[in-house]
C-alpha cells in the first residue's frame, strides 16, 4: 500500500507547547517524518472553554468521553478563569526555531485560541484582522520571519477571516474539514487564499464511540490511505503529544511499513499553486461532525469557477 499523508499538528495550550511539542519532535525525528505544526502563541485561556458547556450541544458529553481534565491537566483548565492566561510563546521561545531547524513547517493557529474558537462569528472584521496580526507578530518575534500558513482554531472560518488572510498575503490556510484543496466561497464571494482541509477524523472525535480505542483509530487512518489520495490528519499536541504519544508513534511506524509518503502542507500548497486554475471552488458551510461539539467550517460541494 502506498498513500500520502500530511500530519497537521495543532498546538492550543501552554501544556501542549511546552510538553507535547518536544515529545512529538522526538517521535517524528525517530521516524524521520516531517510535519506541519500550527501554534497558538498568545494567551492560554483554556479555562474559558468551560463556558461552552452552556453554549454548545455535545460539549459536556465530549469532555466526559475524552476525559478532558486528564488530557489537559487541572491547571490548564483554570487558565483565563481562576488563573491568569500565560503567554504560550514566551514560555519556550526557542521552540519555534527548533521546530524549523528540524525541518518541520511552522504556521499560525490563531493568537488567543479560545477567543477565536468561541467568538469568531461575533467579532467585527477589524478584530479578526487583529487576532491574525498579533499571531503573526508573535511568530515573527520567535522565528525571525513571517509565517506562510494559518490554521483556524476549532475549524472556525468566515469571510472576514479569509479576507484578512488574503490581505496579509498568506500562502494557504487549513481552516476547514473536507476532501480536497479548494478556494473557499462564501455566498457569491470567492476568496483568493488556497484552502487545504483536514480530510480525516481526529482521535479525540473517535475515542469512546462504541468502545472505539486508539488502535481502532490507527486502523481507520490506514484504511483511508488505501485509495492513494493525499490525506491530511490533524493531531493535537495535548493528545497525541501527551497520553496517546505511544499510539501516535505506532501509527507512524505502520504507515512507514506500508510505504506511505509523508508531506508538509506547505510543500503541497506550493505544488498545487503552480496551476491554480485547476483547483476547484467550494462553498464553506457550518456543520456538526460526529464526536465534535458545536459546528465546524466544512467544504461544501464543488462549484464551477467564476469566469
Ligand atoms: Zn486548536
Amino acid at each position: 500500500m502506498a498513500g500520502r499523508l500530511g500530519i497537521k499538528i495543532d498546538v492550543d495550550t501552554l501544556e501542549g507547547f511546552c510538553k507535547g511539542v518536544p515529545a512529538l519532535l522526538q517521535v517524528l525525528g525517530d521516524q524521520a517524518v516531517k510535519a506541519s505544526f500550527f501554534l497558538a502563541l498568545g494567551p492560554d485561556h483554556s479555562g474559558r472553554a468551560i463556558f461552552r458547556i452552556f453554549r454548545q450541544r455535545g460539549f459536556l458529553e465530549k469532555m466526559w468521553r475524552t476525559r478532558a481534565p486528564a488530557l489537559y491537566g487541572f491547571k490548564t483548565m483554570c487558565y483565563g478563569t481562576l488563573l491568569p492566561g500565560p503567554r504560550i510563546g514566551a514560555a519556550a521561545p526557542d521552540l519555534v526555531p527548533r521546530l524549523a531547524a528540524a525541518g518541520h513547517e511552522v504556521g499560525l493557529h490563531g493568537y488567543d485560541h479560545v477567543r477565536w474558537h468561541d467568538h469568531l462569528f461575533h467579532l467585527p472584521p477589524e478584530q479578526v484582522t487583529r487576532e491574525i496580526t498579533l499571531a503573526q507578530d508573535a511568530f515573527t518575534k520567535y522565528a525571525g520571519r513571517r509565517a506562510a500558513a494559518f490554521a483556524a482554531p476549532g475549524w472556525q472560518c468566515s469571510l472576514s477571516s479569509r479576507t484578512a488572510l488574503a490581505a496579509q498575503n498568506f500562502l494557504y490556510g487549513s481552516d476547514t474539514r473536507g476532501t480536497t484543496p479548494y478556494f473557499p466561497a462564501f455566498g457569491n464571494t470567492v476568496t483568493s487564499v488556497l484552502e487545504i482541509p483536514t480530510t480525516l477524523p481526529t482521535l479525540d472525535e473517535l475515542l469512546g464511540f462504541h468502545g472505539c480505542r486508539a488502535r481502532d483509530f490507527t486502523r481507520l487512518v490506514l484504511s483511508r490511505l488505501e485509495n492513494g489520495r493525499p490525506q491530511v490528519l490533524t493531531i493535537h499536541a495535548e493528545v497525541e503529544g501527551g497520553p496517546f504519544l505511544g499510539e501516535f508513534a505506532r501509527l507512524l511506524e505502520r504507515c512507514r511499513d506500508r510505504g506511505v509518503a509523508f508531506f508538509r502542507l506547505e510543500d503541497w500548497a506550493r505544488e498545487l499553486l503552480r496551476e491554480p486554475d485547476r483547483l476547484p471552488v467550494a462553498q464553506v458551510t457550518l456543520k456538526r461532525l460526529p464526536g465534535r461539539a458545536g459546528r465546524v467550517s466544512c467544504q461544501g460541494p464543488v462549484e464551477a469557477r467564476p469566469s
Side-chain angles (χ1 to χ4, degrees):
M1 178 187 97
R4 293 181 68 196
L5 181 62
I7 309 257
K8 168 179 176 274
I9 302 170
D10 288 355
V11 184
D12 299 1
T13 64
L14 184 73
E15 175 100 358
F17 187 59
C18 294
K19 293 188 184 160
V21 169
L24 288 167
L25 255 178
Q26 180 74 48
V27 164
L28 291 164
D30 291 348
Q31 303 274 343
V33 171
K34 305 297 178 204
S36 301
F37 285 81
F38 294 91
L39 314 175
L41 294 170
D44 181 348
H45 285 149
S46 302
R48 293 183 189 168
I50 204 80
F51 296 109
R52 286 183 207 144
I53 285 172
F54 305 106
R55 279 198 308 269
Q56 287 184 351
R57 201 168 87 197
F59 184 69
L60 188 59
E61 185 266 336
K62 186 189 158 103
M63 294 272 286
W64 178 81
R65 186 165 44 76
T66 58
R67 297 183 172 77
L71 283 181
Y72 292 93
F74 180 71
K75 210 167 165 190
T76 299
M77 304 296 279
C78 297
Y79 288 148
T81 51
L82 300 175
L83 296 170
R87 293 275 182 285
I88 296 173
D94 64 313
L95 257 188
V96 179
R98 258 181 72 198
L99 284 171
H104 300 293
E105 176 186 2
V106 196
L108 310 179
H109 191 42
Y111 183 67
D112 181 337
H113 187 282
V114 172
R115 184 165 195 244
W116 183 291
H117 186 301
D118 290 356
H119 302 295
L120 175 71
F121 296 106
H122 309 291
L123 292 177
E126 59 274 17
Q127 292 280 326
V128 175
T129 296
R130 187 169 175 270
E131 287 290 306
I132 297 171
T133 305
L134 287 169
Q136 188 65 279
D137 289 351
F139 181 87
T140 307
K141 189 167 125 191
Y142 302 122
R145 61 175 175 85
R146 292 171 65 80
F150 187 92
W155 294 285
Q156 306 286 305
C157 79
S158 64
L159 177 56
S160 296
S161 71
R162 296 300 297 207
T163 305
L165 293 188
Q168 299 196 26
N169 293 316
F170 279 87
L171 179 71
Y172 77 96
S174 186
D175 293 350
T176 66
R177 307 291 289 263
T179 53
T180 181
Y182 65 101
F183 287 105
F186 298 83
N188 292 328
T189 307
V190 179
T191 55
S192 62
V193 176
L194 171 68
E195 164 67 10
I196 298 186
T198 293
T199 63
L200 296 167
T202 64
L203 174 62
D204 59 310
E205 286 165 3
L206 259 83
L207 278 181
F209 267 119
H210 309 293
C212 190
R213 288 162 303 174
R215 76 179 74 130
D216 302 314
F217 179 74
T218 298
R219 260 185 236 122
L220 181 139
V221 172
L222 292 171
S223 74
R224 289 280 294 272
L225 286 164
E226 274 170 6
N227 67 18
R229 283 205 297 267
Q231 303 288 339
V232 175
L233 172 69
T234 294
I235 71 165
H236 289 89
E238 297 78 8
V239 182
E240 286 89 345
F244 294 95
L245 187 68
E247 196 55 42
F248 177 62
R250 272 189 289 283
L251 169 68
L252 294 184
E253 261 170 47
R254 295 193 59 189
C255 284
R256 285 173 56 84
D257 289 349
R258 291 165 183 229
V260 172
F262 293 94
F263 62 90
R264 305 184 319 166
L265 272 57
E266 180 176 349
D267 300 329
W268 195 26
R270 291 192 192 281
E271 190 183 312
L272 291 164
L273 287 168
R274 277 190 222 133
E275 293 183 284
D277 293 344
R278 296 182 64 140
L279 295 166
V281 166
Q283 287 289 330
V284 173
T285 53
L286 282 172
K287 280 191 199 156
R288 289 189 189 283
L289 296 180
R292 186 149 292 283
R295 296 188 302 167
V296 300
S297 298
C298 293
Q299 178 181 13
V302 165
E303 294 183 353
R305 293 179 70 90
S307 49

